[in-house]
Amino acid sequence: MLMRTDPFREMDRIIQQLSGASGTWSKPSVMPMDAYRDGDVYVIAFDLPGVSTEAIDIDVERNMLTVKAERRPTGKSDGVQMELSERPLGVFSRQVMLADTLDTEHIEAEYDAGVLTVRIPIAERAKPRKIAVGSGSGRKQISG
């Protein structure tokens, strides 16, 4: 159901992690994700810890799902001196090419405990259906 579009994207993500670079609007960091089918629904889960729901943007154009989010530094008072900063900040983005067998008109998304879960139903035309076989005339009917 999912089609990979850029084989070098994972390499970019690893390089960004090793270099400590944070994402910008012109070159966002990649967010990790899992994708699986659960019955008649395709589920994609994106890791976005520390991101507010207002900072998450989800778009679908044709069969391209785009998720963008921004994690900003937490507000600190003037007297705070940072000792260690390992949590990535900046802009995160991921594009996923969806198969034609998914119903992009009925996508649902929820955000809980730092995980954005996008649920996309399998289109009715892609579900298996029984074909009745008639006798005598040789005609077959599709029931669905």
Side-chain angles (χ1 to χ4, degrees), residues 9 13 16-17 21-25 27-32 46-51 55-57 66-72 86-95:
R9 192 96 188 206
R13 185 186 66 78
Q16 283 181 344
Q17 281 182 334
S22 56
T24 63
W25 284 106
K27 186 156 176 61
S29 298
V30 177
M31 64 189 81
F46 299 92
D47 278 350
L48 292 171
V51 174
I56 300 172
D57 185 37
T66 303
V67 177
K68 286 187 178 181
E70 183 176 11
R71 182 172 33 225
R72 296 183 175 156
E86 293 182 347
R87 296 177 26 204
L89 301 173
V91 180
F92 301 86
S93 178
R94 191 76 184 247
Q95 287 189 314

Side-chain angles (χ1 to χ4, degrees), residues 131-134 137-142:
I131 299 173
V133 178
S137 66
R139 291 190 294 184
K140 298 176 185 169
Q141 286 185 321
I142 298 175

Side-chain angles (χ1 to χ4, degrees), residues 46-136:
F46 299 92
D47 278 350
L48 292 171
V51 174
S52 68
T53 55
E54 295 83 26
I56 300 172
D57 185 37
I58 305 170
D59 290 316
V60 175
E61 186 175 339
R62 296 187 186 150
N63 285 4
M64 182 67 72
L65 174 73
T66 303
V67 177
K68 286 187 178 181
E70 183 176 11
R71 182 172 33 225
R72 296 183 175 156
T74 56
K76 299 178 185 88
S77 63
D78 292 337
V80 172
Q81 179 180 343
M82 184 61 83
E83 295 292 329
L84 178 66
S85 180
E86 293 182 347
R87 296 177 26 204
L89 301 173
V91 180
F92 301 86
S93 178
R94 191 76 184 247
Q95 287 189 314
V96 179
M97 180 67 82
L98 303 174
D100 290 334
T101 57
L102 298 176
D103 184 359
T104 58
E105 298 294 321
H106 296 96
I107 295 176
E108 296 178 358
E110 64 183 39
Y111 182 67
D112 184 40
V115 178
L116 174 67
T117 304
V118 177
R119 298 180 190 285
I120 311 164
I122 306 296
E124 286 298 321
R125 68 182 183 279
K127 293 179 183 175
R129 58 190 181 273
K130 294 287 185 187
I131 299 173
V133 178
S135 61

